[in-house]
Amino acid sequence: MINENSAQLLEQRAFSRIGIVVEINGKNIVVKVDKQKNNTNLFYKGETYRNVGIGSYLKIKKDFMFIIGKIEKEFIKEKLQSNRLEDENKNDKYDRFIELSVIGYFERGNFKRGIRELPFLYNEAFLMSENELKQVFRFTDNYAIHIGKAIFEDINVEASINKLFASHIGIFGNTGSGKSNTLSRIYYNLFNMPNVNLKNKSKFIIIDFNGEYTNSSTITNRKTNFVLSTRRCRDRLSIEKSWLDEEFWGIILQATEKTQKPFIKRTLKYLDKHLSNSLDSLVDKLASKLKNILVNGGINKQELDAFNILKQCIKNLFNIENESEFPEIFRNYSLHNGDICRDCNPHNDLEYSSHSNGKIYFSKEENVKLEVQNFHERLRKIISSFQGEISYFDLFEMALGLRLMDDLLFNIAQFEHVAPILHRFQKRKNDLEKIFCIRENDFLRDEENELISISLKDVNIETKKIIPLLLCKKIYENHKSNEYNFKTLHLIIDEAHNILSEESFRESESWKDYRLEVFEEIIKEGRKFGVFLTISSQRPSDISNTIISQLHNVFIHRLINNNDLQTMSRTISFLDKISYDSISILPPGGCIFTGTATETPIAVQIPVLEKEFQPESETAPLEKLWFNVKS
């Protein structure tokens, strides 16, 4: 029996031997391949095995240690001497050599990455078994998800739950390369693991720019879809009133740090103090502002502009379309010889003291008193008859106008510095009311499903950049402050170049820096608070290098743009030369998987999800469309 076992071991050893080490140059090792191992396939006990080639792995036996290397190069050399019989066979005139790079070693059956020892000349090189390959890629975790099948090795690729999902993940590839399927696949496999329990423990939020994940069963049916729109009323995200702080409005209104953010802070204080109780207080405040302007003889054009802005706020608040219906409200004031005045209506303004040139001057105290009284009474009638709903956004707009007037009257701020905030708000107010609703709890507290998909497909370009930034920042800060009952937060951003781009012609340089700083903080510090980021993009060269360099695990599909390839080479430290060179020729669905979840880069074919779980990212079937081809 002993002799039989020994014979089997010797036979297996002879089959798995590839050759001997003939050159050592640092970590690069050259192995001369045995003559009988030059075929494409090897045969052992009736089974066919694929022979080693570029991208394959070998083990080199040195005493009681196995040194592991990855093949990076193949070449042949003509033999120095050959007998006549060998000359007749041209194949025998050359020796085959393979060059491999040392990546690690086996110690007590476990793979260790790095160089501990280098082989000696004439050490033997052997094929690796499937179990040994699994050790190299660390597919031994009790809690691991299936990723796909290795392209070059006949093994299934898995990833540890901890090492993959407790990390920042990047998925990159050209359109049609399979990156959307990869994103969906890894999270589909997670949600469908046996005995997995994510409820009230983790939240997964997909920021979906193109509406690819809106189907109810995409990835999982334990999902809530929010389809946002700025064109028509669709879904709205509930947010708490506490969200509406100076940071919220600073993001929404893209406020500058030194002038506009302090103005927003003053506005919020004004809103809480003067406008939060009742509409009666609003009437009193508006009448008071009018009186301040009329009695101020040294009023300038900026203050008149501010009052005209305030009139627009009143129109918006009460949905007034025709100014002529409310003449006592919408006066047109002007300056004449240093005094504020307006045109006199001889039929309606009989009580006023007027000059012969047809204007009412408010340098006279009795005129001011009458004007303010008429304004106050008419405005109160409008409010008492108003049937609509006054939202928080309406009151905030009014507070902006009132605060602007105060700042101008007391020389706290310049009109041209702070007025853009009010104009910007009025421009975006309708969009905000279609996207947000204010409630006691935000949408994360209300939703019981683990996965939340937020589609921005029907949101205008300007708002599309602001909403993801706002949501990610507020949710991250709330989670960091332990305001939620779940432990980990996973932010998934599809088409991430839309929000993480280093170049933008639609925003100022300071605002772009602020936007990137928010996400750079999340990716640098988020892990400490259980916040993990997954980004997917077809243009990695557009994304901040700081963000890409902080990714722990990446799936790189086919990329052909030179800038994208250079970005991968410059920022991903886990890539080796063979993996990098293969990026531009990967098949659809194939990718290089590398990072902390695997000890060495590996080419993986990601299986396609079943139709019902796939994202809506397929290319239009033109043959079926144009030629009436039946499926």
Side-chain angles (χ1 to χ4, degrees), residues 319-338:
N319 298 322
I320 297 172
E321 295 182 359
N322 189 357
E323 291 185 11
S324 62
E325 295 179 7
F326 306 99
E328 293 86 354
I329 298 294
F330 298 104
R331 305 290 196 185
N332 292 317
Y333 299 102
S334 61
L335 287 173
H336 188 263
N337 295 328

Side-chain angles (χ1 to χ4, degrees), residues 494-509:
D494 191 35
E495 304 298 343
H497 49 271
N498 287 295
I499 184 63
L500 303 180
S501 173
E502 280 194 301
E503 296 184 6
S504 176
F505 301 104
R506 294 179 177 272
E507 59 188 356
S508 66
E509 197 69 23

Side-chain angles (χ1 to χ4, degrees), residues 509-522:
E509 197 69 23
S510 60
W511 178 251
K512 182 199 74 175
D513 292 341
Y514 175 79
R515 171 173 54 80
L516 291 177
E517 283 171 7
V518 168
F519 285 99
E520 286 174 1
E521 179 187 348
I522 292 175

Side-chain angles (χ1 to χ4, degrees), residues 227-239:
V227 180
L228 307 184
S229 175
T230 53
R231 292 192 295 173
R232 55 188 182 275
C233 291
R234 293 289 300 270
D235 301 330
R236 293 198 296 170
L237 293 174
S238 59
I239 59 175

Side-chain angles (χ1 to χ4, degrees), residues 47-316:
E47 294 187 19
T48 302
Y49 295 84
R50 194 172 73 87
N51 201 357
V52 291
I54 291 178
S56 299
Y57 295 84
L58 287 180
K59 61 181 181 181
I60 300 172
K61 189 175 188 305
K62 179 183 180 183
D63 298 330
F64 297 102
M65 175 186 288
F66 282 105
I67 298 168
I68 310 302
K70 185 175 184 179
I71 299 174
E72 295 185 343
K73 181 180 178 182
E74 282 192 65
F75 59 94
I76 59 173
K77 287 183 179 179
E78 190 173 1
K79 293 181 178 179
L80 296 178
Q81 295 179 353
S82 58
N83 56 40
R84 294 179 180 176
L85 291 175
E86 290 174 333
D87 288 339
E88 293 177 1
N89 186 348
K90 292 183 180 181
N91 291 333
D92 289 337
K93 289 183 179 181
Y94 301 94
D95 286 324
R96 179 190 175 202
F97 296 86
I98 53 178
E99 184 176 315
L100 51 92
S101 177
V102 175
I103 62 168
Y105 58 93
F106 276 113
E107 184 179 74
R108 297 178 182 177
N110 294 319
F111 176 75
K112 304 289 185 181
R113 189 171 182 83
I115 299 176
R116 178 176 173 181
E117 290 192 35
L118 292 171
F120 291 146
L121 290 174
Y122 302 116
N123 282 160
E124 294 179 302
F126 298 91
L127 291 171
M128 295 182 66
S129 68
E130 184 176 339
N131 287 333
E132 288 172 328
L133 282 172
K134 286 185 176 182
Q135 283 289 323
V136 170
F137 299 116
R138 287 287 175 91
F139 305 146
T140 56
D141 199 289
N142 291 330
Y143 297 98
I145 67 164
H146 180 258
I147 300 295
K149 198 171 187 68
I151 293 176
F152 298 117
E153 291 82 20
D154 188 23
I155 57 171
N156 289 320
V157 178
E158 298 174 344
S160 163
I161 292 295
N162 275 337
K163 290 186 176 181
L164 181 60
F165 292 105
S167 75
H168 302 307
I169 303 170
I171 303 172
F172 305 110
N174 292 143
T175 299
S177 62
K179 66 181 184 302
S180 295
N181 179 70
T182 297
L183 190 154
S184 301
R185 167 60 71 178
I186 61 176
Y187 283 100
Y188 171 84
N189 288 353
L190 170 65
F191 276 85
N192 289 277
M193 282 187 69
N195 303 319
V196 68
N197 182 14
L198 303 173
K199 193 174 182 63
N200 298 325
K201 298 178 181 179
S202 296
K203 286 285 186 184
F204 300 79
I205 302 175
I206 299 179
I207 306 295
D208 180 12
F209 281 91
N210 294 331
E212 296 180 11
Y213 301 88
T214 53
N215 283 345
S216 58
S217 57
T218 301
I219 298 181
T220 178
N221 54 13
R222 304 197 304 275
K223 179 179 70 165
T224 300
N225 284 317
F226 288 99
V227 180
L228 307 184
S229 175
T230 53
R231 292 192 295 173
R232 55 188 182 275
C233 291
R234 293 289 300 270
D235 301 330
R236 293 198 296 170
L237 293 174
S238 59
I239 59 175
E240 298 173 11
K241 190 176 179 181
S242 61
W243 277 44
L244 306 172
D245 57 12
E246 57 185 290
E247 201 70 44
F248 176 95
W249 291 115
I251 294 172
I252 289 291
L253 304 177
Q254 295 178 271
T256 58
E257 190 68 34
K258 294 185 178 180
T259 56
Q260 294 177 351
K261 282 190 176 180
F263 172 69
I264 290 174
K265 187 175 183 179
R266 295 194 298 272
T267 299
L268 289 170
K269 288 182 178 179
Y270 190 95
L271 176 62
D272 290 339
K273 185 176 181 181
H274 299 294
L275 302 182
S276 58
N277 295 329
S278 67
L279 289 178
D280 289 338
S281 63
L282 175 60
V283 174
D284 294 338
K285 282 295 171 186
L286 290 172
S288 174
K289 295 308 174 202
L290 176 60
K291 181 179 180 180
N292 288 340
I293 289 176
L294 296 180
V295 299
N296 189 344
I299 192 168
N300 56 43
K301 186 177 183 302
Q302 284 191 350
E303 289 156 348
L304 277 180
D305 289 340
F307 189 72
N308 288 331
I309 289 175
L310 187 59
K311 290 195 297 182
Q312 184 62 44
C313 294
I314 297 172
K315 287 177 62 179
N316 295 340

